[in-house]
Amino acid sequence: MKSMPRRRFLSGAATALVGGRLIQRASGAPMLPLAELSAAAPLIVSTWPFGKPANEKALATLQAKGSGLDAIESGIRVTESDPSNASVGLAGIPNAAGVVQLDSCIMSGPGHRAGSVGAISGFRHPISIARAVMEKTKHVMLVGEGAAEFAAKNGFETGPKVSEGQRVAWEKWKEEQRRTEKNHDTIAMILLNESGDLFGGCSTSGWGYKLPGRLGDSPIIGGGLYVDNEIGAAGATGLGENVMRYCGTFLVVEFMRQGLHPQDACLETIRRIARLDPKGFDLSINFIAIDRRGRFGGAGTGSGFEYSVTCPAFSRVIQSPGLTSKDIGPVGGNRK
Ligand code: GLY
């Protein structure tokens, strides 16, 4: 397997790492050298700057003696409740039929347990329903009407199937019959607690104006989220179709199992996908990862993305390195 030499990476996409100094990127968040991508547990990492208040809620939950799963659930509920977030929760962009269909999953390292809901409408907190699927049923995943029936029976909080603002935007989209690709900035959150156990969760409204019934990577174990209590955990955000075809987060964890630093595991996963995919690096995918030693990292395609890291000592947004076709030789390597 060919991989980009480390020196080339340092001098290319991440010049900011040279000398181990903190360099501000255009976005304002710093990119950090590998040596600084580590902290003592409890440690929480999530996608995007909007993950920071979610991380802080998760940390407060742990500090109030909540479990790892309580922390993941309470943190992700913060993002699901944000009326300004157009890609997570019921304020999200609807599907092509004007209905917000939510995807979510949760995973516990201890016991290797998982729960998931897909294409569920009219419920405010899919992360809590995913947890109930894990804890109250013999199944891992419920979708669509069956998931809604389960949520209703278990008394989960309901909400409008689309917000007024998104309904107006959808009417306009429908009139124009545009196939506009809207953003899909999932929250994925992964956590290492003081006992050395790992947990994770993921929640999204998915690809804006998607076909009704479309599932992305976020409810798929090994797609949008994977937790292995022996090794580490990984989460994904971006275009789910380009993550789930490659078992993206499972692959990140497997690279960590081979000894890679979490950030290098994210980079190597993107390189692997880009080599196989006819689109090369034009993938719109991003990963975060954490290992049992408290090392963490992220990486994305293009100019990378920002992710949030929280522990008792700090809570901050960090810029990940990005990968483009300039960073590696020929991609889409299976093409003849
Ligand atoms: N990553 C979220 C989605 O594609 O639905």
Side-chain angles (χ1 to χ4, degrees):
M1 179 174 69
K2 269 191 253 161
S3 69
M4 185 171 60
R6 174 127 188 93
R7 196 147 39 113
R8 185 163 158 213
F9 168 60
L10 288 169
S11 62
T15 313
L17 299 188
V18 173
R21 280 175 302 124
L22 246 165
I23 305 290
Q24 296 291 325
R25 297 271 297 228
S27 60
M31 186 180 287
L32 301 180
L34 281 191
E36 289 183 32
L37 299 179
S38 149
L43 172 64
I44 302 140
V45 181
S46 64
T47 50
W48 307 110
F50 62 59
K52 189 165 166 280
N55 284 359
E56 288 162 4
K57 176 67 183 179
L59 181 62
T61 301
L62 288 175
Q63 288 171 333
K65 307 277 179 244
S67 68
L69 286 172
D70 294 339
I72 292 287
E73 181 185 356
S74 66
I76 288 182
R77 283 174 69 107
V78 169
T79 317
E80 289 176 342
S81 303
D82 179 356
S84 70
N85 193 315
S87 57
V88 180
L90 284 180
I93 300 170
N95 64 16
V99 172
V100 180
Q101 286 187 323
L102 301 173
D103 296 340
S104 180
C105 74
I106 194 163
M107 199 163 177
S108 163
H112 206 71
R113 294 183 300 147
S116 167
V117 285
I120 187 169
S121 301
F123 289 89
R124 290 193 191 276
H125 294 296
I127 189 70
S128 301
I129 306 168
R131 182 174 178 181
V133 171
M134 178 176 81
E135 292 181 336
K136 296 186 177 178
T137 80
K138 294 177 182 161
H139 308 305
V140 169
M141 185 176 216
L142 293 179
V143 300
E145 281 176 20
E149 219 170 275
F150 171 80
K153 271 193 191 139
N154 284 278
F156 284 102
E157 195 184 343
T158 56
K161 289 191 172 178
V162 63
S163 70
E164 185 49 22
Q166 291 294 358
R167 191 194 59 75
V168 170
W170 172 76
E171 293 283 2
K172 191 160 172 267
W173 170 82
K174 211 174 135 213
E175 250 170 49
E176 294 169 1
Q177 279 301 304
R178 280 195 312 224
R179 289 269 161 214
T180 321
E181 188 176 315
K182 287 288 186 180
N183 70 39
H184 26 273
D185 295 343
T186 307
I187 181 157
M189 177 186 285
I190 46 183
L191 175 161
L192 174 70
N193 72 11
E194 284 172 292
S195 313
D197 289 321
L198 291 148
F199 302 86
C202 202
S203 185
T204 191
S205 53
W207 185 334
Y209 308 137
K210 61 194 172 188
L211 286 177
R214 176 260 188 192
L215 291 181
D217 59 324
S218 303
I220 309 292
I221 303 303
L225 179 75
Y226 195 65
V227 178
D228 180 328
N229 221 37
E230 286 185 345
I231 304 295
T237 178
L239 190 52
E241 279 72 0
N242 292 338
V243 173
M244 62 206 288
R245 285 181 293 124
Y246 298 96
C247 303
T249 54
F250 180 78
L251 195 49
V252 173
V253 171
E254 289 308 297
F255 279 128
M256 289 193 282
R257 191 188 305 280
Q258 290 171 22
L260 293 195
H261 185 287
Q263 178 159 289
D264 288 335
C266 294
L267 287 164
E268 203 51 49
T269 297
I270 294 171
R271 291 189 194 107
R272 165 81 71 89
I273 295 174
R275 274 199 299 277
L276 290 170
D277 202 289
K279 294 185 289 301
F281 282 102
D282 188 16
L283 297 165
S284 300
I285 57 173
N286 311 282
F287 294 101
I288 52 170
I290 189 170
D291 70 12
R292 279 179 63 90
R293 293 162 56 182
R295 300 184 304 172
F296 60 85
T301 48
S303 56
F305 83 118
E306 292 180 337
Y307 62 99
S308 298
V309 182
T310 301
C311 62
F314 63 83
S315 185
R316 67 191 310 181
V317 176
I318 294 174
Q319 172 74 42
S320 84
L323 283 171
T324 67
S325 53
K326 290 192 189 113
D327 299 304
I328 193 170
V331 295
N334 276 353
R335 283 177 293 176
K336 297 277 179 246

